Amino acid sequence: MSNNISVKFDVADCTLREQSEDHLGWSNANGVYIVLRVPKNPTNWSFDPHDIDAATRYFSQQSASNGGALLELDVVSAGGHTVLRGLFKYRSPLPDSMGMMFVSILWIRLGNATAQINVESVEQGTTGVREATVCVMTGESPTSASPSEPVLMDSVDDMFAHMRAQPLRVLPSDNSEYDQMFPEHPLSKVRHRMAQLETTLSIATKEVARAAPAQAPWWKFW
């Protein structure tokens, strides 16, 4: 990457899907997408990235403004650097889907710029099983977030549109303790892959050539 900084991590099971001047994108057969974004310009955060309370306020507001929810944010050690790690959920970008998209992000400060690694996965097929199962297990009432007054809909399409427009909440089912119970859920896959990535991450001061040819866009999560 630029500025004589090399960021490396294991993508042996992945296929390079997209490459441009400022990012690389891979996917694997397990429905996980990895994106490395290379900084071009200085990062002008209004907070110290080690101030977890200020960072939490910032990313909570940012994700909510994009219709999502911040699930976790912490400072971790990876590749010999102290980095900021966040986990978010958003509505699936797939048309007419009621599923979720989960995104784990590492922000790596490199001088006054910030490299970013995303690990992403989208819920497909039958949705809501994890949430419903944990709801039954914990005794959480599914009506706790329902409006006090009924909302009348003219059609099923209107109902789904209304449901998709509702703000996302952090749910008990989002907790990592349920990942082993639902290993194929996209949230579990994102957490697992990010943990693997952190163990193989290395950051060095040397130039890395980009010899792979550019390919057609594979997905637009950004």
Side-chain angles (χ1 to χ4, degrees):
M1 57 186 292
S2 62
N3 301 323
N4 294 323
I5 299 292
S6 158
V7 176
K8 296 181 179 179
F9 45 87
D10 182 19
V11 288
D13 65 328
C14 299
T15 301
L16 180 65
R17 298 296 187 182
E18 186 173 353
Q19 179 176 358
S20 72
E21 184 181 355
D22 59 0
H23 83 278
L24 297 167
W26 301 264
S27 69
N28 69 12
N30 198 32
V32 174
Y33 308 88
I34 302 174
V35 181
L36 168 64
R37 290 185 175 86
V38 179
K40 280 186 173 181
N41 302 309
T43 302
N44 296 315
W45 281 343
S46 60
F47 59 91
D48 183 327
H50 295 166
D51 184 343
I52 197 66
D53 291 335
T56 297
R57 288 192 295 271
Y58 175 82
F59 286 112
S60 293
Q61 294 171 358
Q62 186 184 64
S63 57
S65 68
N66 291 310
L70 171 64
L71 303 183
E72 300 169 3
L73 190 71
D74 50 6
V75 175
V76 299
S77 179
H81 284 239
T82 299
V83 302
L84 190 64
R85 179 181 63 196
L87 179 62
F88 304 83
K89 70 175 174 181
Y90 296 93
R91 300 286 182 188
S92 169
L94 300 176
D96 302 320
S97 173
M98 292 303 296
M100 298 292 148
M101 178 178 75
F102 296 89
V103 183
S104 183
I105 303 177
L106 279 186
W107 291 277
I108 306 166
R109 294 289 288 182
L110 303 169
N112 62 354
T114 305
Q116 179 175 322
I117 305 173
N118 284 29
V119 177
E120 310 171 349
S121 189
V122 177
E123 189 175 21
Q124 300 189 57
T126 303
T127 63
V129 174
R130 177 170 176 152
E131 292 83 353
T133 303
V134 174
C135 180
V136 172
M137 291 172 55
T138 61
E140 180 196 25
S141 172
T143 61
S144 59
S146 299
S148 56
E149 295 294 331
V151 179
L152 301 179
M153 301 291 167
D154 294 329
S155 67
V156 173
D157 288 342
D158 287 347
M159 179 185 70
F160 283 122
H162 174 77
M163 292 171 66
R164 284 182 60 88
Q166 299 309 299
L168 292 180
R169 299 181 300 137
V170 180
L171 302 174
S173 56
D174 297 326
N175 197 296
S176 61
E177 69 180 284
Y178 300 109
D179 287 353
Q180 288 188 338
M181 187 181 299
F182 303 96
E184 294 306 309
H185 190 274
L187 177 55
S188 306
K189 292 192 288 188
V190 162
R191 278 201 184 99
H192 180 69
R193 186 63 193 224
M194 179 58 82
Q196 287 183 324
L197 189 153
E198 290 174 21
T199 64
T200 64
L201 180 67
S202 67
I203 303 169
T205 55
K206 68 176 183 178
E207 191 70 26
V208 175
R210 289 178 169 174
Q215 300 184 36
W218 53 284
W219 203 281
K220 291 299 181 185
F221 285 164
W222 54 90

